[in-house]
Amino acid sequence: MIIKSLISVFALFTFLATLSQSFNKEMDFVSHLQNIGEFEEGLLYLEFIDEKYFSAGQQDSLYYYKGKFHYRLKNFNPSISSFSMVSNDSDYLWNYAAMYSSIQYSYLKHYEKAIDAANRTRNLVGTKAELKKLFIVGNELLRRNTTAVDYLQPSFDLSYYQFKSHYEELLDLNKQIKEHKPKSPFVAGVLSGLLPGLGKYYQGMIGQGTMALITTGIFGLQAYEGYRKDGPKSARFIVFGSLLSVFYVANIWGSVVSVRIQNRDFNTSIDESILVNMHIPLRNLYR
Amino acid sequence: MSRFWLICIFLYGTFTGKAQEHLADSLRQVGELELAAVFYERALFTDTVGRKDQLLLSKAAVYKSLNQYQKALQTLQRSRGRKDAETAMEILSETILLSYLTNRHRETYNLLLKYQLLYGELSRELIVIEALTLSHLSRWEDSKKLMESHAEMVDLNQEEIDAIYPEKFKLKDPEKAYTLSLFFPGIGQMYAGYFFKGVLSGLIQAGLVGYSAYNIWNGYFFTGGMTGVALFYTFYFGGARYAKQLAIKKNKSVTDDINQHLIDQLIKQKSP
């Protein structure tokens, strides 16, 4: 029993001593895992190396890698959480963590937090400082705060060739947002009530509108035929009349839903473009 | 407690690749498979004694145990350069198995040919895979012949082999099924092997023709034309397309059947 505990103590002591020294080797291996794209394996390994045994500076590297691997696996919240443990000992790691947290907050639609994260950076110069500006503008655009974007525009430094095209894209998206006139679901519904298919025409979907017109027309004509020949209580009239009603109502409802979807899709596609214009320069500057 | 001892071994493991390999082996034995995979990678990273291929095999085996066949295959494909015949054979054999498990049947067959070219005789496991692969490629006669010529090795008699493979089965041609249904509604589905679905389709379409005729005869032109004729048109072409789908489905179902029988028979051998 005593021998066992003596051995344990000895082993633990040597383990702690060696681990701190072999740290660089461990980091080399983690970097290797990153290079071959084995992010799950990397996370497993990082979990296994308990951070308690490392110095503060070394812990930062661990958290940095954890954040990075989670990011590559698109685990936004765990990534942000790991990055938040990175201390401000090293400007590079601190800024890296802040900027990647920022973009992930943007993807999570937490735009204020994204802006806060970008503002947390310290001692930025040159292109990296310009990237921070790009992030702020991007997030304001995501919040649809077009006046803020207009206000910030003069501060864009277009002499940075890396950012020129991204700035131009963002300004173009700003213009698109300002000029966009969303279709009204209410108007679509009312128009479809007047004439089946008219709501779809209003939306711009000529094909679907024509289809609606034809199908309701088919049922309408058959209902009419039934009414004329057999009277209002006949089976024919009732069946086709009911089908007509069903399609008529469905068309109204369908037009309303369709317009809502169309508006939502517009916003989604704008958001995607904004995020891409932020993400690409980020990946280029902070590899 | 055992985790603590693992960490102690880890202490020594940081020094040599061989020790890391042992660590990985121990992890594998206690069931920590994902961690074992990482440590095999670790050993690969520090490998100085040329154990690369062995380590790749071990790592692939771990992923195979985790049923991650694609990953296991990718691991093995990292093997490069010269190796001794035994290791090369083992790697190729495992690659064939994994290729089959990831449903790459054509590639599996090519690899089997390569194996035979290089090493001659196939092992029992590989013969089984070849039979299954041929079946997946719809080459049942070849599959059957293979089983017959290796009957001893797989320990099946002629009767049992005959029971696995259907007497005369040819693949159903989807295009033919389509055309047949256009020619006469319902025939295509019957050709594909679904008799009653064919009858049903035929009856529906006949009914629609009758309905259209009745309506138009009695002066209900809109109804006859729109409900009757239009619906008939839908069922006519739809039925033909359905017949095509059924032919494809039938082919798959027969293949799966044969493969299941094959596997059952061969597994039966292993557990007496």
Side-chain angles (χ1 to χ4, degrees):
Chain A
M1 194 54 222
I2 297 182
I3 298 179
K4 203 173 187 186
S5 52
L6 275 175
I7 295 178
S8 322
V9 169
F10 173 74
L12 193 61
F13 179 73
T14 28
F15 166 68
L16 293 175
T18 338
L19 202 52
S20 228
Q21 284 172 333
S22 67
F23 179 75
N24 285 331
K25 237 187 287 181
E26 302 309 321
M27 287 300 105
D28 281 344
F29 175 55
V30 171
S31 177
H32 162 74
L33 285 175
Q34 184 192 257
N35 291 337
I36 57 173
E38 288 285 6
F39 303 116
E40 280 112 347
E41 283 183 17
L43 282 171
L44 259 172
Y45 195 71
L46 287 164
E47 286 300 326
F48 185 78
I49 318 175
D50 205 331
E51 53 249 18
K52 292 203 286 284
Y53 299 115
F54 295 108
S55 70
Q58 292 170 334
Q59 281 179 33
D60 270 358
S61 294
L62 287 180
Y63 295 134
Y64 157 80
Y65 273 114
K66 268 194 199 169
K68 208 172 184 184
F69 284 11
H70 274 305
Y71 157 77
R72 291 299 290 265
L73 292 169
K74 300 202 192 321
N75 304 330
F76 295 145
N77 280 312
S79 173
I80 292 174
S81 160
S82 296
F83 276 136
S84 71
M85 314 264 271
V86 175
S87 75
N88 54 17
D89 278 352
S90 146
D91 269 354
Y92 178 74
L93 291 180
W94 172 263
N95 289 333
Y96 192 104
M99 292 304 276
Y100 273 92
S101 297
S102 177
I103 192 83
Q104 290 180 99
Y105 273 130
S106 297
Y107 273 98
L108 289 169
K109 301 194 201 284
H110 299 321
Y111 304 128
E112 283 87 13
K113 288 194 186 158
I115 294 179
D116 285 342
N119 278 326
R120 274 209 295 271
T121 50
R122 353 167 40 214
N123 304 328
L124 288 178
V125 288
T127 46
K128 289 190 174 158
E130 201 62 33
L131 180 67
K132 173 182 167 179
K133 250 192 258 174
L134 186 75
F135 265 43
I136 311 254
V137 171
N139 278 295
E140 291 297 353
L141 202 54
L142 285 162
R143 287 160 94 183
R144 300 291 187 269
N145 199 345
T146 51
T147 34
V149 176
D150 289 333
Y151 176 73
L152 288 167
Q153 185 184 344
S155 68
F156 295 170
D157 191 341
L158 293 171
S159 64
Y160 286 107
Y161 69 89
Q162 303 99 319
F163 295 114
K164 187 153 176 284
S165 65
H166 298 299
Y167 274 137
E168 283 168 2
E169 264 290 308
L170 289 180
L171 288 174
D172 182 62
L173 289 165
N174 192 29
K175 187 156 170 285
Q176 280 184 40
I177 292 172
K178 282 195 275 191
E179 290 174 358
H180 176 62
K181 280 193 290 270
K183 302 279 183 201
S184 154
F186 179 72
V187 172
V190 165
L191 285 174
S192 266
L194 287 175
L195 181 68
L198 201 54
K200 289 281 167 67
Y201 284 132
Y202 159 71
Q203 201 188 343
M205 294 186 161
I206 308 293
Q208 285 198 23
T210 317
M211 262 310 290
L213 197 55
I214 290 177
T215 41
T216 39
I218 285 176
F219 288 123
L221 286 171
Q222 290 178 82
Y224 171 74
E225 192 177 56
Y227 179 76
R228 286 304 299 258
K229 287 195 167 234
D230 297 335
K233 293 222 177 96
S234 69
R236 262 179 213 276
F237 176 68
I238 292 174
V239 167
F240 287 117
S242 319
L243 284 169
L244 174 67
S245 311
V246 166
F247 271 76
Y248 176 76
V249 170
N251 179 249
I252 294 178
W253 183 68
S255 305
V256 168
V257 168
S258 186
V259 167
R260 285 218 196 106
I261 291 178
Q262 195 186 40
N263 290 337
R264 196 192 61 197
D265 283 349
F266 171 78
N267 276 319
T268 310
S269 105
I270 294 267
D271 282 353
E272 274 168 13
S273 301
I274 298 173
L275 285 166
V276 159
N277 279 295
M278 287 159 66
H279 211 160
I280 293 178
L282 173 71
R283 288 290 286 262
N284 283 331
L285 280 185
Y286 291 93
R287 288 186 187 272
Chain B
M1 195 56 204
S2 63
R3 193 171 168 85
F4 172 75
W5 287 112
L6 282 177
I7 295 178
C8 293
I9 304 170
F10 174 69
L11 150 73
Y12 301 103
T14 53
F15 292 119
T16 59
K18 203 84 208 299
Q20 281 162 14
E21 191 181 343
H22 286 313
L23 175 57
D25 289 334
S26 330
L27 283 168
R28 191 171 159 190
Q29 273 174 342
V30 299
E32 290 271 9
L33 295 174
E34 276 126 353
L35 214 46
V38 182
F39 275 94
Y40 279 125
E41 187 63 43
R42 186 87 170 80
L44 275 163
F45 182 62
T46 47
D47 176 48
T48 46
V49 293
R51 297 271 305 163
K52 184 170 182 206
D53 290 326
Q54 294 310 115
L55 289 167
L56 285 174
L57 276 166
S58 301
K59 192 178 179 197
V62 167
Y63 275 125
K64 193 169 82 177
S65 309
L66 287 167
N67 295 334
Q68 292 184 33
Y69 304 127
Q70 181 60 34
K71 251 202 150 146
L73 191 56
Q74 277 167 340
T75 310
L76 279 183
Q77 282 165 345
R78 281 163 65 182
S79 172
R80 298 255 179 284
R82 304 187 55 118
K83 30 190 173 279
D84 61 276
E86 205 186 301
T87 319
M89 199 162 95
E90 207 182 331
I91 291 183
L92 185 55
S93 181
E94 273 302 300
T95 308
I96 290 173
L97 172 62
L98 289 166
S99 184
Y100 174 76
L101 288 168
T102 48
N103 292 318
R104 292 180 168 77
H105 300 300
R106 209 157 284 283
E107 195 175 307
T108 311
Y109 188 66
N110 290 338
L111 288 169
L112 282 162
L113 287 177
K114 182 177 172 184
Y115 187 96
Q116 284 174 302
L117 234 100
L118 290 171
Y119 308 114
E121 277 290 308
L122 287 175
S123 66
R124 181 180 184 274
E125 186 184 78
L126 289 178
I127 289 183
V128 168
I129 294 183
E130 189 175 352
L132 286 168
T133 306
L134 283 168
S135 178
H136 273 290
L137 294 170
S138 307
R139 292 166 56 177
W140 293 294
E141 288 208 8
D142 291 337
S143 182
K144 188 171 183 183
K145 282 201 195 101
L146 181 73
M147 294 303 285
E148 282 166 351
S149 59
H150 290 93
E152 254 182 41
M153 212 189 211
V154 297
D155 198 17
L156 288 175
N157 59 36
Q158 189 61 40
E159 232 176 60
E160 289 164 321
I161 294 181
D162 283 336
I164 299 173
Y165 298 90
E167 256 303 314
K168 275 187 204 309
F169 182 78
K170 277 182 299 187
L171 275 184
K172 301 293 181 187
D173 181 5
E175 291 302 325
K176 190 169 172 188
Y178 184 83
T179 321
L180 281 173
S181 255
L182 285 182
F183 178 68
F184 196 91
I187 298 288
Q189 284 95 322
M190 292 184 204
Y191 162 75
Y194 293 90
F195 180 75
F196 289 109
K197 289 192 197 232
V199 169
L200 184 63
S201 183
L203 282 177
I204 291 176
Q205 291 185 54
L208 284 170
V209 172
Y211 180 73
S212 311
Y214 168 76
N215 277 302
I216 294 178
W217 182 261
N218 288 325
Y220 294 98
F221 298 114
F222 285 137
T223 309
M226 292 167 176
T227 305
V229 173
L231 271 180
F232 170 74
Y233 178 86
T234 312
F235 274 89
Y236 180 67
F237 284 103
R241 271 201 312 272
Y242 187 52
K244 186 173 177 179
Q245 263 180 334
L246 284 178
I248 296 174
K249 181 176 164 187
K250 185 61 140 180
N251 289 343
K252 183 170 188 301
S253 134
V254 171
T255 310
D256 287 345
D257 239 12
I258 296 176
N259 287 344
Q260 194 53 47
H261 281 159
L262 255 177
I263 294 177
D264 285 342
Q265 279 288 12
L266 295 162
I267 305 275
K268 211 172 63 178
Q269 309 299 313
K270 289 205 166 172
S271 39

